[in-house]
Amino acid sequence: MRKQEIKSELAGTVQSVPAVGQKISPDDELVILESMKMEIPVGSKWAGTVSEVRVQPGATVAEGDVLVVIEVG
Amino acid sequence: MSWAEEVAELNRRKQLSEQMGGPEGVARQRERGKLTARERIHALADADSFREFMGLTGRAQYKGDALVSFVPKPQVEGTIRIGGRKAIVKASDFTVRGGAGGSPGEHLGQELSASARSIEWRIPMIRLLDAAGGSVRGFEELGRTYLPDGNSFTAPEVKLLSIVPVVSAVLGSVAGLPAIFGPLSHFSIMVKGISQLFPGGPPVVKAALGYDITKEELGGDAIHVKVSGCIDNLAETEQDAFAQIRTFLSYLPSSVDEMAPRVTTGDPPDRREEALLSIVPRNRRRPFDGRKLLQTIVDKDSFFEIAPQYGRARVTGLARMNGYTVGIMANNPMINGGATDVAAGSKAIRLIQLCNTFHLPLISLADEPGFQVGLEAEKQGIERAGARIVSTVCLSEMPWCTVVIGRLYGVAGQCHHRPSGMFRRYCWPSANWGSMHIVGGASAAYRREIESAADPEAKRQEIEARLNALASPFRTAEATGQDIIDPRETRPLLCEFVEDAQRILRTQLGRPSMPYLP
């Protein structure tokens, strides 16, 4: 199984995260970040399963931080 | 008697030129993962279209009348065809003295420089930069130092920007004057791993500031296409860079005296895209993807993005509408809410200037929350950036159509409007606007009323609700004549605007209303 890291493209506050083991399809909203009063969805390009959640709601993230790791396939 | 002997001499000299700095230098160039200057020109140009000029120039040594050695000048230059159209190419040859020096001097009978030819022939200039600028070794050769004057050969490079398209590719470690030639262009590109840009490299930094840094850390793509914005686009390979240059030029006229070429894209101008009816979420806190919106509206697959990694709150680039070239920009609410910071603003300025210079209509898809606020924005000088955007907007004259998709607030909102020349504005029903936001704005304007209320929070909400009821775009339309459209009509209306714009653009051909400042 190939692992893929999903990174934040911006600085913001984590609003919601997926559960480990959750099955995902491309375009699903995995993480919602709050930035400049907007709720920014972060998706995955790949289908697969969430294997690791690196951040928790309320956490502050910087651009480039890994949010979630998924197993592709 | 024929001239066969002299022709043989000519061919021998051409061969010497084609050897560039010699086999060792060429081998080192390859070890660095770089193509040679001549390979680059052949990869960039249409097949068999390179016509070299000043190809016999260089440093010769004679024994009596016999030529015993020859080193060509450190540039390979000439005309090529690219996408069928003529352009000038000037490639630094790093294998000859690191690409340094060799600019035409002021000898009697000196042939015109590449940039002067580009101006006189009204054809684009493409620079393939792989040179380190001056070197102190030059002092020893001259036996003296010299004043760093450059006007004789940099003035035409500046003049070029308001006459013909100029493209710079950074294809090596580029320092000194060549480093300035990178952004002294309408479009610039660098290649992952082989390209760095700085006025002075790591040894100069070490001498001046005392710290160690690698070339890549100092001036690689992670700095220049992402943070500094000195270079617009990143290419994975040199071939990719040449393909992007070809694409960029395909949208532009050969000079300010011509109309941009129109092509057949096969995308119907009256295509109504159903997805546009629901692309803006009703929940105002949910952003839409500005890039996706833009791509849905323009001719299919016609969008060429400029500086995608820099100033990401604004998406800018060239595209086609019914085959005509347009400059197009959109706020991207996915990044910083789409707010205009210094970087996003500088992209907008450059796109407006590009359109104004080459007589292209501009389309703006606005969801503008305003200029970026906060301490970081103040440190970067957001007000001067604002002053520059306002000035650029007012000095421009190309036809411009803005579609207000969502928010349009403050002075940044004003910068999507031009009260002169051919300008048109359409608004979607999802649009909302004002000199400032109701949330936040209410707390400031009604502070005394809120603070003196028995329940300040309830009072604030009551005032906000009252103001929000006034924010319907239809109320503005009743009073001002602003047109509101079905989002699905956006593409057909914009295609019609761009068609109508052609008549006005033809009257604006020639020198632009303001010089292009990089």
Side-chain angles (χ1 to χ4, degrees):
Chain A
M1 284 277 211
R2 189 162 62 90
K3 295 214 174 197
Q4 255 327 321
E5 293 179 334
I6 308 292
K7 292 179 182 172
S8 176
E9 286 203 4
L10 52 129
T13 310
V14 178
Q15 205 174 69
S16 66
V17 295
V20 171
Q22 191 176 317
K23 297 255 180 247
I24 54 160
S25 323
D27 292 334
D28 281 0
E29 293 179 358
L30 286 184
V31 175
I32 308 284
L33 296 174
E34 199 179 316
S35 170
M36 294 283 287
K37 292 184 266 179
M38 301 290 278
E39 296 165 358
I40 318 286
V42 181
S44 158
K45 273 187 265 185
W46 307 274
T49 311
V50 175
S51 70
E52 250 182 275
V53 178
R54 298 263 183 98
V55 291
Q56 291 308 315
T60 308
V61 294
E63 188 186 329
D65 284 359
V66 177
L67 305 172
V68 169
V69 181
I70 61 166
E71 271 178 19
V72 180
Chain B
M1 283 293 280
S2 79
W3 293 88
E5 202 178 309
E6 284 76 7
V7 169
E9 171 69 6
L10 170 65
N11 288 332
R12 183 166 80 99
R13 285 175 178 257
K14 277 187 180 170
Q15 267 177 6
L16 288 168
S17 267
E18 279 165 17
Q19 287 170 9
M20 297 176 279
E24 272 177 40
V26 168
R28 272 201 301 279
Q29 180 82 354
R30 296 230 166 83
E31 276 163 28
R32 292 188 175 106
K34 300 191 291 187
L35 299 175
T36 66
R38 287 177 185 278
E39 286 167 344
R40 284 170 172 163
I41 291 172
H42 288 288
L44 173 71
D46 293 353
D48 302 322
S49 69
F50 180 44
R51 306 282 175 265
E52 188 166 4
F53 51 68
M54 296 201 270
L56 301 174
T57 312
R59 293 181 184 178
Q61 284 188 326
Y62 288 87
K63 198 172 248 173
D65 281 345
L67 180 69
V68 288
S69 82
F70 179 81
V71 180
K73 68 179 163 42
Q75 290 92 23
V76 183
E77 356 174 37
T79 62
I80 56 169
R81 282 187 186 279
I82 181 161
R85 293 185 299 158
K86 267 231 157 124
I88 297 230
V89 63
K90 180 168 181 171
S92 336
D93 182 354
F94 192 80
T95 67
V96 179
R97 299 188 296 280
S103 296
E106 286 169 10
H107 311 293
L108 274 177
Q110 176 63 51
E111 286 287 312
L112 286 183
S113 70
S115 48
R117 288 173 203 241
S118 179
I119 291 170
E120 299 304 341
W121 290 51
R122 292 289 192 272
I123 48 179
M125 161 66 91
I126 304 167
R127 302 190 195 103
L128 307 180
L129 299 167
D130 187 3
S135 151
V136 291
R137 279 175 180 276
F139 300 159
E140 279 202 295
E141 283 174 29
L142 275 173
R144 62 175 174 87
T145 58
Y146 50 88
L147 292 143
D149 298 350
N151 279 358
S152 58
F153 48 93
T154 46
E157 306 286 343
V158 172
K159 198 173 162 197
L160 275 179
L161 292 171
S162 301
I163 303 178
V164 295
V166 180
V167 172
S168 290
V170 176
L171 302 174
S173 296
V174 173
L177 181 61
I180 304 308
F181 285 153
L184 196 72
S185 60
H186 301 107
F187 175 66
S188 57
I189 191 159
M190 60 199 297
V191 176
K192 200 154 201 65
I194 64 164
S195 307
Q196 299 93 26
L197 191 75
F198 25 64
V204 183
V205 172
K206 177 79 176 172
L209 301 167
Y211 62 82
D212 293 298
I213 190 165
T214 66
K215 285 195 289 190
E216 193 65 23
E217 286 166 342
L218 182 63
D221 63 86
I223 295 294
H224 287 309
V225 301
K226 231 180 151 171
V227 182
S228 79
C230 285
I231 299 297
D232 294 319
N233 284 29
L234 178 63
E236 288 301 318
T237 60
E238 292 198 41
Q239 293 291 350
D240 177 18
F242 301 144
Q244 290 195 46
I245 291 170
R246 181 174 284 261
T247 305
F248 174 80
L249 288 174
S250 73
Y251 292 93
L252 295 182
S254 292
S255 81
V256 298
D257 296 311
E258 294 172 35
M259 295 289 281
R262 187 187 182 190
V263 303
T264 309
T265 59
D267 193 352
D270 59 356
R271 172 168 60 83
R272 283 165 55 97
E273 203 58 57
E274 276 307 308
L276 295 179
L277 193 57
S278 51
I279 196 167
V280 177
R282 292 199 67 94
N283 176 357
R284 299 259 183 219
R285 287 166 62 83
R286 276 310 182 97
F288 57 87
D289 184 337
R291 191 173 280 110
K292 201 157 141 189
L293 166 73
L294 188 159
Q295 284 166 333
T296 310
I297 291 170
V298 301
D299 289 358
K300 279 208 161 64
D301 303 319
S302 74
F303 180 52
F304 179 74
E305 189 165 354
I306 299 173
Q309 296 190 56
Y310 175 70
R312 293 181 304 148
R314 187 78 62 106
V315 179
T316 65
L318 295 168
R320 294 191 178 277
M321 294 294 280
N322 196 17
Y324 291 111
T325 300
V326 295
I328 185 162
M329 60 184 180
N331 297 88
N332 191 3
M334 301 289 270
I335 306 291
N336 284 342
T340 301
D341 57 8
V342 173
S346 76
K347 277 169 70 172
I349 288 171
R350 289 188 57 223
L351 183 72
I352 296 169
Q353 288 196 68
L354 185 71
C355 290
N356 195 63
T357 302
F358 294 109
H359 315 300
L360 311 172
L362 175 66
I363 293 169
S364 166
L365 305 174
D367 178 32
E368 178 64 71
F371 286 127
Q372 179 73 47
V373 295
L375 185 57
E376 194 46 46
E378 297 306 328
K379 286 182 180 170
Q380 291 177 5
I382 187 68
E383 292 81 6
R384 183 167 303 283
R388 286 193 174 136
I389 306 172
V390 168
S391 305
T392 310
V393 165
C394 290
L395 290 170
S396 73
E397 62 171 24
M398 74 288 152
W400 179 349
C401 187
T402 289
V403 185
V404 185
I405 307 295
R407 302 155 297 172
L408 195 74
Y409 284 94
V411 184
Q414 188 186 110
C415 294
H416 295 270
H417 175 250
R418 188 186 58 202
S420 61
M422 186 181 180
F423 179 84
R424 185 77 164 102
R425 181 169 59 195
Y426 294 112
C427 299
W428 283 16
S430 45
N432 58 97
W433 44 66
S435 58
M436 71 180 300
H437 292 267
I438 289 172
V439 179
S443 306
Y446 293 85
R447 194 176 60 194
R448 209 178 313 159
E449 208 177 324
I450 292 170
E451 282 173 356
S452 62
D455 183 346
E457 179 57 20
K459 188 71 188 172
R460 189 183 59 78
Q461 285 182 10
E462 180 203 310
I463 293 168
E464 280 183 15
R466 215 164 68 210
L467 292 170
N468 274 323
L470 299 176
S472 158
F474 296 110
R475 289 206 180 220
T476 306
E478 284 164 18
T480 67
Q482 176 59 52
D483 288 313
I484 298 173
I485 60 167
D486 180 334
R488 293 167 292 191
E489 291 295 324
T490 305
R491 175 175 162 81
L493 286 169
L494 284 174
C495 283
E496 200 171 318
F497 177 85
V498 169
E499 180 85 51
D500 292 340
Q502 303 303 309
R503 284 175 37 252
I504 301 303
L505 291 166
R506 272 192 284 274
T507 70
Q508 296 175 340
L509 289 178
R511 289 299 177 94
S513 60
M514 60 177 149
Y516 183 96
L517 297 175

